[in-house]
Amino acid sequence: MSAPVKPAAPATDFVAVVPARLASTRLPNKPLVDLAGKPMVVRVAERARESGARQVVVATDAQSVFDAVAAYGFDVRLTRADHPTGTDRLAEVAEQLGWPDDTIVVNVQGDEPLIDPLLVQAVAAHLAAHPECALATAAHPIHANDEIFNPNVVKVVLDARGRALYFSRAPIPWARDAWKAGLTQTDSLPAPETPIYRHIGLYAYRASFLRSYPTLAQAPIEMAESLEQLRAMWHGERIAVLLTNDIPLPGVDTPEDLTRVRALLGA
């Protein structure tokens, strides 16, 4: 697989944080697994650096991850081990580093070693272009039946301004007249008139929102769907959604994912 072209210096000023929690139920020591001779978290940090972020910080709860990242010269911070979400971990880093409220902070998840640097840059710019929003993220159209009905594929519905109305693991919006009752992922799926968008798990935040996030009570819809972005929506925050036709390369969550990504890297 060819290396991504490093983008020109972005017009949007932003920082990138890579949260890297050591514990993983499906892939032990996930941040430190080897990808073509480097720990995965370092591969992610390199992608974040290629995005043009003026500062890249790895945030971890483990000394072993800290040491591995520091050996490659990246800025790395130890954070508490009891953070329930990656967003909470970013909030601690924002406090540690004292970023001003208007700082745009992009969360580049630590298990996305193939993330496109241009997408990181674009999501940061999208938030800058939407001052009424506290967050920005991305999505792309999906058409495959199995993905629409797969609860691990998160869907998002947008309003007329391209802001999120709702995120769900369910197939939304439901095309009442196109899809018969009892439809399953093995049935033939007529194309609905309304596009269905798959959420890409990449976020940009304003530092002011990050500071407030840990004080927000969990939302019933967040707990039901197990989607932390619904907490922000429940409390009235707006999320701008950047639409792209490009399907992101796979992340790493299981041993099977690791094998696939190693093949893509030629490792």
Side-chain angles (χ1 to χ4, degrees), residues 7 56 90 105 112 121 139 176 183 189 196-197 207 218-219 235:
V56 176
L90 263 70
V105 184
E112 296 284 347
Q121 183 183 119
R176 187 196 65 176
L183 187 72
L189 185 66
I196 299 176
Y197 295 114
Q218 279 194 299
H235 289 280

Side-chain angles (χ1 to χ4, degrees), residues 129-171:
H130 290 78
E132 80 283 6
C133 296
L135 302 85
T137 188
H140 68 82
I142 56 174
H143 309 286
N145 198 354
D146 58 342
E147 289 192 351
I148 291 171
F149 285 86
N150 183 348
N152 294 319
V153 175
V154 178
K155 276 68 69 172
V156 58
V157 174
L158 310 181
D159 68 12
R161 297 184 179 182
R163 300 178 307 203
L165 285 171
Y166 192 64
F167 296 84
S168 182
R169 299 182 182 277

Side-chain angles (χ1 to χ4, degrees), residues 30-108:
K30 184 163 65 170
L32 298 177
V33 297
D34 181 83
L35 287 180
K38 295 180 182 179
M40 180 166 64
V41 64
V42 172
R43 292 285 181 191
V44 178
E46 288 175 340
R47 292 282 173 137
R49 182 172 58 194
E50 290 168 1
S51 73
R54 65 170 164 84
Q55 184 177 9
V56 176
V57 182
V58 175
T60 184
D61 59 353
Q63 187 65 46
S64 57
V65 175
F66 182 100
D67 294 341
V69 172
Y72 284 88
F74 282 98
D75 188 355
V76 56
R77 306 287 165 144
L78 277 176
T79 57
R80 300 198 329 256
D82 59 349
H83 286 306
T85 70
T87 308
D88 290 286
R89 197 171 306 282
L90 263 70
E92 182 180 349
V93 171
E95 282 299 311
Q96 284 187 18
L97 297 178
W99 287 325
D101 285 349
D102 60 352
T103 303
I104 292 178
V105 184
V106 181
N107 178 349
V108 184

Side-chain angles (χ1 to χ4, degrees), residues 170-196:
I172 57 171
W174 181 266
R176 187 196 65 176
D177 296 330
W179 299 345
K180 67 180 183 294
L183 187 72
T184 70
Q185 66 181 38
T186 59
D187 293 323
S188 176
L189 185 66
E193 292 182 3
T194 303
I196 299 176

